[in-house]
């Protein structure tokens, strides 16, 4: 299948994806450091931003591989949109198991992947040499023994500093651990409702959990107690949840919901845990959601393959790409600088979209049209000045 409008294909349906914290993973080689010390300047350019993608064709002999792929962002030519390189930096086959969900540790400890029967940690390692893109994946079979046989986990997340890990299962079981020691912080056994999504507050005080039914629940990580239930209004079905930090360093919680044919984003006060806003943003079901690291942008992806970027303050659309993918949007992730949005789909494509508002070079089209209209009016007035004055009352 050919790439679609800026998308890149890697040969398998993509279920999960994330940007990599390269500053904590790729270290300069000793030779590069020696040369830099001698010349008082780095001898090699920094590596381009990279992403990790996971997915596949599942069990059986479909012919579609199951894999994790690391891909780098191609240096964009002047005026060209950002795009991933067609050739991956590294590819790790996962045999008969499909990686359905992932969470990348923010300090580079690895990629936690959820497979049908449990979770596995994949280490990220930079290889020796002068190539800034030298990066490999290595499956760590000895790590995460507590998550080896827990079944499919539908939600995975590390806290902002990487000191806490939370997982939510298809069976409804919620587990929260200290990282990397894996001491239990919270454990809520399985219920009739599966965990759909979860999110840590940036100060690592709270964890919010969305389930397939019932209210969103807020947990206090220090006391390990539930401190609030966020109720649904009539007809609402909650989807994704994300904390965001505002410019004054206070926090706000965003929750997506479907209500009838409308998809909307609800905002919550994180002190009183009351609703402070709600806006309908789409008529399609929301299949992916993300908040930018700087807190200024929100992004939604739909089952129709479209993506939209909105301002977090007023929820006005900044960028929209209709039919960005041929299939359901499975993952959205903002880059660390919030200037690019990664989106993936079942159609095997990964796309990078600039989140910056289009800027005009020089005079805008509407300004030119207005100037032309004014020039025509002035010309008409000068040519028919006497006639126009004659019809005025004396």
């Amino acid at each position: 299948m050919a790439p679609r409008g800026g998308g890149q294909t890697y040969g398998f349906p993509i279920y999960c994806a994330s940007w990599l914290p390269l500053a904590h993973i790729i270290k300069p080689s000793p030779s590069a450091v020696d040369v830099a010390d001698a010349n008082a300047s780095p001898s090699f350019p920094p590596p381009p931003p990279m992403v990790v993608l996971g997915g596949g064709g599942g069990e059986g002999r479909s012919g579609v591989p199951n894999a994790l792929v690391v891909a780098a962002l191609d240096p964009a030519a002047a005026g060209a949109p950002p795009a991933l390189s067609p050739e991956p930096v590294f590819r790790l086959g996962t045999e008969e198991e499909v990686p359905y969900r992932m969470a990348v540790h923010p300090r580079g400890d690895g990629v936690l992947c959820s497979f049908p029967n449990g979770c596995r940690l994949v280490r990220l390692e930079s290889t020796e040499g002068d190539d800034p893109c030298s990066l490999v994946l290595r499956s760590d079979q000895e790590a995460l023994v507590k998550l080896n046989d827990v079944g499919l986990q539908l939600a995975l997340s590390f806290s902002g500093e990487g000191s806490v890990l939370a997982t939510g299962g298809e069976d409804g079981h919620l587990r929260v651990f200290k990282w990397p020691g894996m001491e239990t912080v919270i454990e809520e056994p399985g219920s009739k409702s599966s965990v759909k999504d979860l999110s840590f507050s940036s100060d690592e005080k709270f964890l919010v959990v969305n389930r397939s039914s019932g209210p969103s629940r807020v947990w206090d990580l220090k006391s390990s107690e539930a401190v609030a239930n966020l109720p649904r209004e009539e007809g609402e079905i909650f989807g994704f949840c994300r904390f965001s930090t505002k410019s004054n360093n206070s926090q706000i919680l965003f929750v997506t919901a479907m209500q009838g044919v409308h998809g909307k984003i609800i905002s919550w006060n994180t002190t009183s845990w009351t609703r402070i806003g709600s806006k309908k943003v789409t008529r399609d079901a929301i299949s992916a959601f993300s908040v930018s690291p700087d807190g200024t942008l929100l992004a939604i992806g739909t089952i129709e393959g479209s993506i939209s970027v909105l301002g977090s303050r007023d929820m006005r659309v900044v960028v929209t790409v209709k039919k960005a993918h041929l299939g359901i949007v499975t993952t959205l992730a903002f880059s660390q600088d919030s200037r690019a949005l990664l989106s993936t789909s079942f159609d095997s494509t990964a796309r990078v979209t600039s989140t910056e508002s289009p800027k005009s070079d020089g005079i805008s089209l509407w300004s030119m049209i207005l100037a032309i209209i004014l020039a025509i009016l002035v010309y008409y007035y000068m040519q028919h000045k006497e006639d126009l004055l004659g019809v005025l009352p004396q």
Side-chain angles (χ1 to χ4, degrees):
M1 180 184 296
R4 178 178 177 83
Q8 196 61 252
T9 182
Y10 293 97
F12 56 85
I14 302 173
Y15 288 91
C16 51
S18 181
W19 296 88
L20 293 176
L22 295 183
H24 299 281
I25 300 171
I26 296 182
K27 309 297 182 183
S29 66
S31 62
V33 172
D34 293 341
V35 172
D37 290 341
N39 298 337
S41 64
S43 118
F44 300 99
M50 297 185 197
V51 302
V52 58
L53 315 168
E59 298 180 7
R61 301 184 179 183
S62 65
V64 180
N66 302 314
L68 291 168
V69 165
V70 174
L73 196 65
D74 261 351
L84 294 173
S85 171
E87 292 299 324
V89 173
F90 192 83
R91 187 183 190 103
L92 176 69
T94 57
E95 300 177 348
E96 294 295 311
E97 294 186 302
V98 183
Y100 283 109
R101 300 287 189 273
M102 71 168 56
V104 174
H105 190 271
R107 295 293 180 264
D109 282 2
V111 182
L112 176 63
C113 295
S114 171
F115 296 94
N117 296 320
C119 296
R120 191 160 71 241
L121 185 67
V122 177
R123 301 288 185 181
L124 294 152
E125 299 174 351
S126 58
T127 59
E128 293 185 3
D130 298 332
D131 182 1
C133 292
S134 55
L135 187 67
V136 299
L137 301 174
R138 178 180 59 83
S139 181
D140 189 340
Q141 302 289 349
E142 298 180 0
L144 301 181
V145 175
K146 291 185 177 181
L147 295 175
N148 278 350
D149 299 303
V150 295
L152 179 62
Q153 302 300 290
L154 296 179
L156 305 171
S157 183
F158 286 103
S159 61
E161 294 299 319
S163 63
V164 191
L165 164 67
T167 72
E170 186 177 36
D171 61 359
H173 201 132
L174 172 68
R175 298 174 175 88
V176 183
F177 305 97
K178 292 182 180 179
W179 182 269
M182 296 298 287
E183 299 92 350
T184 298
V185 177
I186 296 171
E187 184 165 11
E188 186 179 36
S191 63
K192 294 181 179 179
S193 58
S194 60
V195 176
K196 296 178 69 174
D197 198 20
L198 42 79
S199 176
F200 287 100
S201 59
S202 61
D203 57 10
E204 300 190 349
K205 290 183 178 179
F206 300 108
L207 173 72
V208 63
V209 180
N210 275 6
R211 294 182 176 274
S212 56
S213 63
S216 293
R217 176 164 291 181
V218 182
W219 293 84
D220 184 305
L221 294 175
K222 186 176 181 179
S223 66
S224 300
E225 298 289 338
V227 294
N229 287 321
L230 311 183
R232 309 168 187 234
E233 292 183 350
E234 184 177 356
E236 285 182 343
I237 302 174
F238 285 171
F240 300 94
C241 53
R242 291 289 183 276
F243 280 99
S244 177
T245 302
K246 299 194 290 185
S247 57
N248 61 0
N249 289 326
S250 64
Q251 296 193 72
I252 187 171
L253 173 65
F254 294 105
V255 176
T256 68
M258 290 301 299
Q259 189 173 36
V261 299
H262 294 285
K264 63 182 186 178
I265 300 175
I266 307 164
S267 51
W268 302 78
N269 181 288
T270 56
T271 302
S272 62
W273 300 111
T274 55
R275 291 188 185 219
I276 56 177
S278 176
K279 185 172 182 179
K280 297 174 181 177
V281 293
T282 180
R283 291 182 66 88
D284 296 323
I286 298 173
S287 58
F289 181 61
S290 186
V291 175
S292 65
D294 64 9
T296 63
L297 300 172
L298 312 175
I300 61 167
T302 73
I303 62 172
E304 297 299 326
S306 298
I307 57 177
S308 294
V309 179
L310 308 93
S312 62
R313 179 176 296 181
D314 54 13
M315 295 195 192
R316 291 185 179 180
V317 174
V318 177
V319 177
T320 187
V321 184
K322 293 291 186 183
K323 301 294 184 180
H325 300 273
L326 290 174
I328 297 172
V329 177
T330 53
T331 302
L332 291 173
F334 282 97
S335 58
Q336 284 90 345
D337 62 7
S338 302
R339 298 173 62 184
L341 178 69
L342 171 68
S343 60
T344 63
S345 173
F346 287 151
D347 69 359
S348 303
T349 61
R351 178 189 180 110
V352 176
T353 302
S354 173
T355 61
E356 297 178 298
S357 299
K359 298 178 180 179
S360 60
D361 296 325
I363 303 174
S364 70
L365 176 62
W366 285 110
S367 297
M368 293 177 63
I369 293 174
L370 180 59
I372 292 172
I373 292 174
L374 288 174
I376 293 173
L377 291 174
V378 170
Y379 176 80
Y380 183 85
Y381 172 76
M382 296 302 295
Q383 292 295 317
H384 302 277
K385 180 179 179 180
E386 294 183 0
D387 295 338
L388 290 172
L389 292 175
V391 300
L392 295 176
Q394 301 296 319

